[in-house]
């Protein structure tokens, strides 16, 4: 059976070649740049040790530099699964949810029909653009001029005007040879009700061209100029060319701009004028077309490359939109699939900011974006508060439920660990920082005096040192540990206030140190004393002396094995408890996951035991939380 190019393109646009290939291949972690849609693996078609099989997700192609095999997703499916071309198309259509044409004749007829609809949409775009420059478009021109749009900008962004009257466009298109059936099928007019004549979809509105991923006009957005209009914005109805849940405004142009600017990802605005403002400021941006962002649109953003930034208005509606987007994205988060969220100041949107403060203000707005994990944490914190034990418990339960919605197992576990550690830290009472009478940084010569002998004696503790204290001491004494694994310190569940202060000081100083500088006990103690943490500084003075000689080359691996036991293992055990309940109810998938996690837990415990035996130590499970 022959398939038309239009149909095959529709299937390609709906499926990520990287997602498909990733089910069959193991991506090389060193060469792969998932955020850029650039994937490498050992070729499945010939024997090799170094990865030469290359997939470019945005372009939908693969190429092996070793054996020369290359093609698109259909060719890859044929070669990987031994399918004929029609079989590969059928299999991928089922994955994409695209119905197959009944036969070749029907497919050709549908292709011819779509070409006519594309032609009608393109002609409409020209008619709207012409109308904007004519006498009937004067009010629209004045409105646009007041928002900083001249004729060149309107032409650049496909802005036009749909004149008043209910059949202006219908008559124009019929004069060009289009039938009323084609005009209705393209979404350019609406059928009349109760026997009434069809009418134009847009009348007396400023229009914005909406294109597909190849740049062909497929629909329009219409903005009212009158304040008493029933709807500020309306969009073309769903039709053969246009499905609003699968289209992003100015995606083609945003991809091209992203390739030029090498930015970290696309920006997602809430409306057409916001996107235009971003693009005028040199920022690649898109927007959904009159609907909340969908899962399919989110996948399109990730296929475009990088880490998308959702930019919402700072009002209540914008915050609700951010919450919906975050909840929708959570199950899909994983390596190379993440996002950030930024808010415009209250009462403004990106278009307002551009007109008020100029193009340089929008990069500053995007720079305020926070990762999805931060946005989630702050949302639940604001929702429940921390005033009472009940509120704190509800806060932590909400974070657990959110983390458990993430499908990727590693991402779920890391979210769980990170969110719980931050929730514990936020729930602890905070001491007021020390306010020295004299200025200076943590290395200042005018620092407060060191802890006295009396203070040290008063704070002496006879209980055994918890395991976390050993982690912190080794990180302080070994620059390699601190420089490579400072992020692991943040994940330690430390209830001891003094050790928590030491942990935060180490992480803070590590982030501030210049290239080649190291942190020692004296500098750490001085920093703590200046910060009003005299007890924590005294704790450092009681540490055993550092090992003499050069650092042990194997210490970093040993340290990581022990800290993994403390950080990762509790999260695994929590998930195992949840999975056990599902297994009891007969969930086969949960049973498979339960077995895999159990093996992982045993491996972590074995590595920790090996390290402890080599050190001649025996760390009890109860000592693992400080």
């Amino acid at each position: 059976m022959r398939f038309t190019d239009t149909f095959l393109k529709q299937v390609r646009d709906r499926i990520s070649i990287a997602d498909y290939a990733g089910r069959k291949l193991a991506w090389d972690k060193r060469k792969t740049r998932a955020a850029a849609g650039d994937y490498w693996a050992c070729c499945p078609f010939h024997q090799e040790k170094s990865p030469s099989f290359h997939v470019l997700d945005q372009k939908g192609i693969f190429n092996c530099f070793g054996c020369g095999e290359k093609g698109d997703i259909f060719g890859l499916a044929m070669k990987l699964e031994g399918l004929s071309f029609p079989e590969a198309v059928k299999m991928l259509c089922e994955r994409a949810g695209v119905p197959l044409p009944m036969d070749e004749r029907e497919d050709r007829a549908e292709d011819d029909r779509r070409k006519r609809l594309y032609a009608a949409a393109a002609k409409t775009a020209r008619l709207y653009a012409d109308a904007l420059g004519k006498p009937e478009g004067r009010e629209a021109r004045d409105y646009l001029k007041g928002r900083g749009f001249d004729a060149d900008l309107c032409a650049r962004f496909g802005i036009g005007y749909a004149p008043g009257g209910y059949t202006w466009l219908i008559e124009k298109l019929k004069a060009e040879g289009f039938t009323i059936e084609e005009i209705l099928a393209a979404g350019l007019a609406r059928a009349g009700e109760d026997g009434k004549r069809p009418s134009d979809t847009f009348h007396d509105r400023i229009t914005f061209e909406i294109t597909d991923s190849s740049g062909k006009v497929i629909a329009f957005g219409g903005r009212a100029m009158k304040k008493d209009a029933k709807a500020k914005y309306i969009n073309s109805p769903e039709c053969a060319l246009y499905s609003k849940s699968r289209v992003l405004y100015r995606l083609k142009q945003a991809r091209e701009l992203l390739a030029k600017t090498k930015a970290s990802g696309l920006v997602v605005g809430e409306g057409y004028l916001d996107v235009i403002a971003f693009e005028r400021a040199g920022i690649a941006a898109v927007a959904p077309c009159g609907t909340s962002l969908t899962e399919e649109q989110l996948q399109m953003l990730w296929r475009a490359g990088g880490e998308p930034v959702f930019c919402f208005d700072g009002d209540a509606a914008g915050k609700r939109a951010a919450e919906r987007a975050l909840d929708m994205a959570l199950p899909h988060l994983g390596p190379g699939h993440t996002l950030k969220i930024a808010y415009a100041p209250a009462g403004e949107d990106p278009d307002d900011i551009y007109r008020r403060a100029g193009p340089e203000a929008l990069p500053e707005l995007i720079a305020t974006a926070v990762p999805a994990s931060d946005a989630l944490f702050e949302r639940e914190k604001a929702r429940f508060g921390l005033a009472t034990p009940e509120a704190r418990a509800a806060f932590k339960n909400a974070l657990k439920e959110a983390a458990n919605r993430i499908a990727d197992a590693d991402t779920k576990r890391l979210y769980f660990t990170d969110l719980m550690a931050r929730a514990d830290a936020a729930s602890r009472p905070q001491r007021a920082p020390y306010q020295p009478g004299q200025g200076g940084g943590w290395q200042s010569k005018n620092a407060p005096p060191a802890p006295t002998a009396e203070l040290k004696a008063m704070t002496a503790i006879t209980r055994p040192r918890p395991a976390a204290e050993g982690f912190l001491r080794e990180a302080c004494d070994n620059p390699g540990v601190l420089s490579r694994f400072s992020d692991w310190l943040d994940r330690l569940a430390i209830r001891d206030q003094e050790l928590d202060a030491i942990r935060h000081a180490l992480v803070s100083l590590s982030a501030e140190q210049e290239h080649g500088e190291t942190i020692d006990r004296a500098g750490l103690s001085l920093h703590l004393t200046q910060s009003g943490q005299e007890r924590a500084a005294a704790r450092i003075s009681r540490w055993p002396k550092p090992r003499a000689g050069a650092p042990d080359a194997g210490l970093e691996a040993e340290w990581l094995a022990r800290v993994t036991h403390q950080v990762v293992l509790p999260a695994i055990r929590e998930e195992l408890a949840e999975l056990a309940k599902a297994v009891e109810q007969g969930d086969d998938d949960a049973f498979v996951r339960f077995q895999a996690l159990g093996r992982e837990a045993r491996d972590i415990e074995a590595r920790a035991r090996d390290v402890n035996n080599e050190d001649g130590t025996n760390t009890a499970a109860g000592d693992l939380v400080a």
Side-chain angles (χ1 to χ4, degrees):
M1 181 177 181
R2 177 185 175 275
F3 301 100
T4 64
D5 291 341
T6 301
F7 176 77
L8 295 177
K9 179 182 180 301
Q10 184 182 3
V11 179
R12 286 191 202 96
D13 288 346
R14 296 281 292 277
I15 300 181
S16 162
I17 188 173
D19 287 346
Y20 170 71
R23 298 172 185 269
K24 309 288 184 181
L25 307 173
W27 300 124
D28 183 81
K29 295 182 179 180
R30 293 172 299 172
K31 296 182 69 175
T32 293
R33 294 182 302 123
D38 189 359
Y39 296 83
W40 292 84
C42 288
C43 181
F45 308 126
H46 77 283
Q47 295 294 323
E48 63 177 2
K49 295 183 179 179
S50 299
S52 62
F53 185 82
H54 190 203
V55 171
L56 288 173
D57 197 33
Q58 185 173 334
K59 295 184 178 180
I61 59 174
F62 73 92
N63 180 31
C64 178
F65 293 94
C67 65
E69 291 285 359
K70 59 183 177 181
D72 62 4
I73 192 169
F74 299 111
L76 184 59
M78 291 168 63
K79 295 178 185 297
L80 282 178
E81 307 198 36
L83 304 175
S84 66
F85 180 69
E87 289 171 335
V89 173
K90 181 179 179 181
M91 183 267 291
L92 292 171
C93 282
E94 291 175 353
R95 286 177 178 266
V98 177
L100 281 166
M102 296 300 294
D103 54 42
E104 185 175 341
R105 183 180 303 173
E106 178 185 321
D107 194 19
R108 283 201 302 269
E110 176 62 21
D111 193 41
D112 292 340
R113 176 173 174 267
R114 289 177 71 88
K115 287 179 180 177
R116 288 286 294 170
L117 301 186
Y118 278 124
K123 182 61 181 178
T124 299
R126 291 193 293 272
L127 289 170
Y128 286 158
D130 291 343
L132 182 62
K134 291 183 177 179
E136 60 264 35
R138 180 176 178 179
E139 184 181 354
R141 290 197 304 275
D142 291 342
Y143 177 87
L144 290 166
K145 185 178 179 180
R147 300 187 75 104
F149 287 86
D150 57 17
D152 290 338
L153 276 177
C154 289
R156 173 184 168 187
F157 291 104
I159 298 174
Y161 173 64
Y166 289 86
T167 59
W168 179 88
L169 180 61
I170 291 174
E171 299 304 324
K172 293 283 187 182
L173 291 177
K174 288 173 69 175
E176 294 289 336
F178 295 99
T179 66
I180 189 63
E181 289 77 14
E182 290 172 331
I183 297 170
L184 290 168
L188 303 170
R190 300 179 187 273
E193 297 179 359
D194 300 326
K196 294 181 181 179
R197 293 186 305 165
S199 61
D200 295 347
T201 299
F202 303 98
H203 44 86
D204 194 24
R205 286 180 178 266
I206 294 169
T207 59
F208 299 84
E209 295 174 9
I210 298 172
T211 64
D212 63 13
S213 59
S214 65
K216 293 181 180 178
V217 178
I218 56 174
F220 298 88
R223 190 190 197 286
M225 294 177 289
K226 297 177 180 177
K227 294 183 178 180
D228 60 350
K230 291 183 179 180
K232 184 177 179 180
Y233 281 97
I234 62 172
N235 296 280
S236 293
E238 299 270 325
C239 64
L241 297 182
Y242 174 61
S243 175
K244 61 185 178 182
S245 65
R246 298 169 182 165
V247 174
L248 289 167
Y249 177 62
R250 292 191 72 78
L251 176 61
K252 178 179 183 294
Q253 295 82 359
R255 282 175 171 173
E256 293 170 351
L257 183 55
L258 185 64
K260 292 178 182 178
T261 61
K262 307 297 183 184
S264 59
L266 296 178
V267 171
V268 184
E270 290 195 74
Y272 305 129
L273 291 175
D274 293 341
V275 171
I276 292 171
F278 279 123
E279 193 170 331
R280 292 176 71 185
I283 298 171
V286 297
C289 302
T291 183
S292 298
L293 199 75
T294 65
E295 293 182 4
E296 191 159 356
Q297 288 169 330
L298 181 62
Q299 296 296 334
M300 293 165 66
L301 292 168
W302 282 329
R303 286 200 296 272
E307 181 180 47
V309 176
F310 294 2
C311 186
F312 296 97
D313 296 349
D315 57 13
K319 291 181 179 179
R320 288 194 298 271
E323 291 184 3
R324 289 194 298 269
L326 184 58
D327 287 335
M328 181 270 297
L330 266 177
H332 308 285
L333 296 179
H337 285 179
T338 186
L339 56 90
K340 289 185 173 182
I341 294 178
Y343 293 101
E348 287 190 312
D349 58 33
D351 179 54
D352 296 327
I353 296 171
Y354 182 93
R355 289 186 287 117
R356 172 179 58 79
E360 61 277 1
L362 291 182
E364 295 174 1
L365 170 62
I366 298 306
T368 66
V370 299
S373 58
D374 289 0
L376 174 63
F377 183 85
E378 294 301 329
R379 181 185 78 178
E380 301 303 339
K381 182 179 175 183
R383 178 183 172 194
F384 293 102
L386 302 172
T388 65
E390 294 85 355
R392 293 192 290 273
F395 169 49
K396 293 185 70 172
N397 284 337
L399 292 176
K400 289 179 184 178
E401 291 174 4
N404 283 329
R405 292 182 56 209
I406 299 173
D408 182 78
D410 289 337
T411 305
K412 176 194 295 186
R413 184 161 60 252
L414 291 172
Y415 255 70
F416 188 96
T417 302
D418 176 66
L419 293 173
M420 290 302 100
R422 291 164 67 179
D424 288 339
S427 300
R428 287 192 292 271
Q430 300 296 314
R431 291 184 58 182
Y434 176 76
Q435 299 293 335
Q438 302 179 21
W442 66 276
Q443 292 178 323
S444 171
K445 296 180 180 178
N446 298 319
T452 64
E454 290 79 10
L455 178 60
K456 293 180 181 180
M458 183 177 63
T459 58
I461 300 173
T462 58
R463 68 174 185 271
R465 290 187 178 89
E469 187 164 6
F471 294 141
L472 297 175
R473 185 181 69 248
E474 290 171 354
C476 179
D477 292 343
N478 296 275
V481 170
L482 185 58
S483 63
R484 290 187 59 192
F485 305 122
S486 62
D487 57 326
W488 282 92
L489 295 179
D490 265 333
R491 303 173 192 173
L492 292 171
I494 299 176
R495 291 195 290 266
D496 186 301
Q497 293 186 10
E498 295 167 13
L499 293 184
D500 190 39
I502 294 172
R503 182 253 303 275
H504 285 297
L506 274 172
V507 173
S508 175
L509 294 178
S510 175
E512 294 174 4
Q513 67 186 128
E514 300 291 336
H515 179 70
E517 288 186 354
T518 59
I519 298 167
D520 58 18
R521 296 187 183 187
L524 178 61
S525 179
L526 179 59
H527 177 81
L528 288 164
T529 304
Q530 287 182 318
S531 303
Q533 298 286 353
E534 295 90 349
R535 287 175 178 265
R539 189 80 165 255
I540 294 173
S541 70
R542 297 194 302 275
W543 283 354
K545 292 182 179 180
R547 298 178 185 177
D552 183 356
L555 178 64
E556 294 177 15
E558 294 174 5
W559 189 92
L560 183 61
R562 289 197 298 268
V563 82
T564 301
H565 186 275
Q566 176 166 349
V567 172
V568 178
L569 197 58
I572 290 179
R573 286 171 175 162
E574 290 240 13
E575 188 174 352
L576 285 171
E578 294 293 329
L579 288 170
K581 298 175 184 177
V583 170
E584 290 177 359
Q585 297 174 3
D587 188 328
D588 293 337
D589 291 337
F591 179 70
V592 173
R593 175 69 179 155
F594 183 87
Q595 288 185 312
L597 274 184
R599 287 192 296 270
E600 186 175 351
R602 289 191 293 274
D603 289 343
I604 291 173
E605 289 175 331
R607 286 196 295 271
R609 279 197 302 271
D610 290 343
V611 169
N612 288 334
N613 290 336
E614 291 173 6
D615 289 347
T617 60
N618 186 16
T619 303
D623 292 335
L624 287 175
V625 178

